Amino acid sequence: MANCFAPQLTFPAFTPRHFSPRMSHQSPKPSTSTTTSIFTSATKLLWGPSLPPGLLISTARTAWTTVWQLMMTQLAPSDSSGSYTRPTSKFRLDPTQFPSAASSELHLYVGLPCPWAHRTLIVRALKGLNDAVTVSIASPGQDGSWEFKDNNIPIKDKDKLIPSLDKANRCRNLKEVYKSRTGGYDGRGTVPMLWDSRKKEVVCNESYDIIEFFNSGLNELARNANLDLSPPELKEMIQDWNQIVYPKVNNGVYRCGFAQSQEAYDGAVNELFSTLDEIEDHLGSNRYLCGERLTLADVCLFTTLIRFDPVYNNLFKCTKKKLVEYPNLYGYLRDMYQIPGVAATCDISAIMDGYYKTLFPLNASGIQPAISSSGDQESLLRPHNRDLVGEAMEAQLAV
């Protein structure tokens, strides 16, 4: 199932950023240079100019591995082979029984780094539901939970997506919103989450259910009601693509990054890139996954591709190729990015910040690498010529 969860790591002693600056007694704080000098002097006194002895290195490695495995257990549940197993979503929507738009006051909770939440923002934009479904944007907290912040940034465009306070419930974090529902809730606080402000209830926290609902369940409120991203004649093909893309690509990158054994990683990375190879070949003769028509399957693939070179290639060890090395896939990415309304949902800086500075077990230093040229906006706005793909194939078939 597809959503972004809050790992709630509980190891404050392993990173200084968790220490509270408010203490009952505060002594003068030594400068960074002084602290470094003392540490360097002690190191030289104990070991001289050479590296610490093998026993210390071995002990440190064992301790770090143990702590890493403990943190990964909380961050990314795995099976007996060390393969990441994504928890299921708690609140689901029945597509045959969508809630009535007239009796609901819908509010969407998202986080900009999350690919699953990104799906909902794209369909909301494409369908013209920005006025019908208001949104609150949470930020990753230091402990990995989703929290709301006032950035005090003047906003001229009311549809601009930036982290904000909770506009529907005035809660401090997403977990409080979940708890405020009738009957309460102490489970995982995930995004995306669709909330009914009138009933004070969680409508859904499964991303695919939400985008199906946005596509067909709110047409009386949508500015682009005629746009159908899941037409009846393509539903079976969309489902076929979803059964390939979700486990092997969308969740596949996480299975690489969250693998807790070499065997689990090898299996995930090989499956990921063999699938990307297949999609690359398919897009050589099809503008979109289902032919010449944009569908929900494309939306689901896009939110992984836009994060691939900036994040997954490095942080999640998806290193066999960069996306830019796939001509058709990279052109497809640019094609979708340039669809009106889509680029406004993509914040590459927030995406990188959310991954590199939040997933402590994968990036303990918190250092964020420079973005590759393939992932910056200038490159994504280059001509893609994907509109010629279908025409070229039709010409070949006519010969």
Side-chain angles (χ1 to χ4, degrees), residues 265-287:
Y265 168 76
D266 290 343
V269 78
N270 289 332
E271 188 172 63
L272 167 65
F273 281 95
S274 65
T275 304
L276 290 178
D277 289 341
E278 292 174 11
I279 298 174
E280 170 73 7
D281 289 342
H282 177 77
L283 292 176
S285 55
N286 296 271
R287 183 173 184 179

Side-chain angles (χ1 to χ4, degrees), residues 159-359:
D159 291 329
K160 186 173 177 60
L161 301 171
I162 63 170
S164 63
L165 296 174
D166 177 6
K167 300 173 185 177
N169 293 287
R170 304 300 177 190
C171 291
R172 294 173 301 174
N173 55 59
L174 192 61
K175 192 169 184 63
E176 288 185 3
V177 180
Y178 274 92
K179 282 186 175 182
S180 70
R181 67 177 289 269
T182 303
Y185 180 66
D186 290 321
R188 296 157 54 248
T190 65
V191 293
M193 189 264 275
L194 189 61
W195 175 264
D196 188 334
S197 297
R198 190 172 299 169
K199 298 176 183 176
K200 297 295 181 183
E201 183 58 87
V202 176
V203 176
C204 183
N205 68 347
E206 164 55 41
S207 66
Y208 201 81
D209 291 355
I210 295 174
I211 62 175
E212 283 192 311
F213 177 46
F214 283 0
N215 178 61
S216 60
L218 296 172
N219 278 335
E220 65 268 38
L221 303 176
R223 293 196 302 272
N224 299 326
N226 292 331
L227 174 67
D228 190 353
L229 297 169
S230 185
E233 68 273 18
L234 293 179
K235 280 188 181 294
E236 186 175 348
M237 189 182 298
I238 292 170
Q239 186 59 30
D240 289 344
W241 274 113
N242 288 341
Q243 290 175 356
I244 295 171
V245 171
Y246 169 73
K248 298 179 180 181
V249 180
N250 297 149
N251 202 44
V253 294
Y254 281 86
R255 289 170 52 225
C256 294
F258 290 170
Q260 295 179 45
S261 72
Q262 188 67 51
E263 177 188 6
Y265 168 76
D266 290 343
V269 78
N270 289 332
E271 188 172 63
L272 167 65
F273 281 95
S274 65
T275 304
L276 290 178
D277 289 341
E278 292 174 11
I279 298 174
E280 170 73 7
D281 289 342
H282 177 77
L283 292 176
S285 55
N286 296 271
R287 183 173 184 179
Y288 301 114
L289 291 179
C290 296
E292 298 307 298
R293 187 162 180 174
L294 182 74
T295 67
L296 293 180
D298 298 297
V299 173
C300 293
L301 178 57
F302 173 82
T303 59
T304 296
L305 298 186
I306 194 71
R307 290 161 173 78
F308 199 89
D309 284 5
V311 176
Y312 302 142
N313 180 259
N314 294 313
L315 188 64
F316 282 8
K317 305 182 184 73
C318 302
T319 48
K320 282 192 169 185
K321 285 185 180 180
K322 285 182 174 292
L323 195 73
V324 71
E325 296 176 62
Y326 289 100
N328 295 327
L329 271 166
Y330 189 56
Y332 168 87
L333 172 67
R334 301 199 308 277
D335 186 2
M336 288 198 60
Y337 183 82
Q338 293 172 33
I339 294 172
V342 172
T345 69
C346 306
D347 188 330
I348 303 300
S349 295
I351 288 170
M352 293 187 68
D353 192 74
Y355 279 92
Y356 285 103
K357 294 187 178 180
T358 301
L359 297 179

Side-chain angles (χ1 to χ4, degrees), residues 46-117:
L46 290 171
W47 302 300
S50 63
L51 288 172
L55 178 61
L56 179 64
I57 294 175
S58 175
T59 302
R61 177 178 293 166
T62 300
W64 168 245
T65 300
T66 302
V67 172
W68 177 83
Q69 289 174 337
L70 189 57
M71 287 190 289
M72 288 299 291
T73 299
Q74 293 193 35
L75 173 66
S78 65
D79 60 22
S80 58
S81 71
S83 297
Y84 171 57
T85 304
R86 183 173 293 277
T88 58
S89 301
K90 172 69 174 178
F91 302 93
R92 302 295 305 270
L93 268 177
D94 183 345
T96 64
Q97 298 178 349
F98 282 149
S100 168
S103 63
S104 305
E105 186 178 339
L106 298 173
H107 189 79
L108 181 64
Y109 287 99
V110 299
L112 295 179
C114 173
W116 318 105

